[in-house]
Amino acid sequence: MTSPTPYERNYTAEQTRLAEHLIDLEKGALDKWFNGDVSGYREIWSRTSFTYFDGDNPKRVEDHDTIDQFLDALDGKLHADVYELHSPRIQFGIDMALLTFQLFADTNLIDMKYNCVELYQREKDDQWRVIHSTWSFIRPMDMDFTSVKEIV
């Protein structure tokens, strides 16, 4: 196990347990995901309040019914022998927690390199579910910062 980051050293004992739980929920969904089983995300993505951004879709997905269609299209089709979840970090609010991480996997369909954001909220049934998810591609920096333009 890695040593806590400076941010994690400020967690209360309850936050430490919750952070571990939420990261385990995400890893459980990813374990299924890379074995062609989309049910893990069906379970952790909220059915009552959900939005989603993906690098392959120019518009925000507005509800769980629409994401269900996306999941249906991938069910049984995506596989990877291994994946790497890098630097997971939880930031807390009141009954909300923000999980950010980088995901790397060479799958049978695409090579995944994503910055991932999962906003969890405690729902009425006291379960933590994702109310917003963003999966954005990690791209190499191609901007030239060697010359600075004059500010007008």
Side-chain angles (χ1 to χ4, degrees), residues 5 22 32 38 59 67 83 85 87 97 102 133 150:
T5 65
L22 296 178
K32 289 179 178 183
V38 300
K59 294 184 178 183
I67 204 68
Y83 69 88
L85 189 149
S87 305
Q102 289 187 309
S133 183
E150 185 177 331

Side-chain angles (χ1 to χ4, degrees), residues 22-137:
L22 296 178
I23 291 168
D24 286 347
L25 285 176
E26 196 73 32
K27 286 179 179 178
L30 286 167
D31 288 347
K32 289 179 178 183
W33 184 257
F34 290 119
N35 280 303
D37 178 359
V38 300
S39 69
Y41 279 105
R42 283 192 206 278
E43 293 165 9
I44 69 170
W45 286 346
S46 175
R47 293 209 166 268
T48 58
S49 176
F50 183 76
T51 56
Y52 177 80
F53 279 120
D54 185 275
D56 192 41
N57 190 343
K59 294 184 178 183
R60 180 179 57 223
V61 172
E62 298 289 348
D63 55 44
H64 203 287
D65 290 340
T66 304
I67 204 68
D68 267 341
Q69 294 171 20
F70 168 75
L71 293 173
D72 288 344
L74 283 177
D75 198 24
K77 296 180 180 151
L78 184 67
H79 298 277
D81 292 330
V82 296
Y83 69 88
E84 296 175 29
L85 189 149
H86 287 215
S87 305
R89 179 178 176 182
I90 300 280
Q91 296 167 268
F92 292 99
I94 298 172
D95 287 332
M96 295 184 109
L98 180 68
L99 168 60
T100 56
F101 60 94
Q102 289 187 309
L103 177 66
F104 299 88
D106 294 334
T107 77
N108 61 315
L109 299 177
I110 63 169
D111 292 342
M112 292 183 156
K113 295 178 179 115
Y114 283 103
N115 288 315
C116 300
V117 177
E118 300 278 70
L119 180 58
Y120 282 82
Q121 179 176 14
R122 185 189 331 246
E123 293 193 330
K124 290 179 183 179
D125 63 359
D126 212 33
Q127 297 298 308
W128 287 84
R129 292 194 182 84
V130 176
I131 62 168
H132 177 79
S133 183
T134 295
W135 290 46
S136 62
F137 300 120

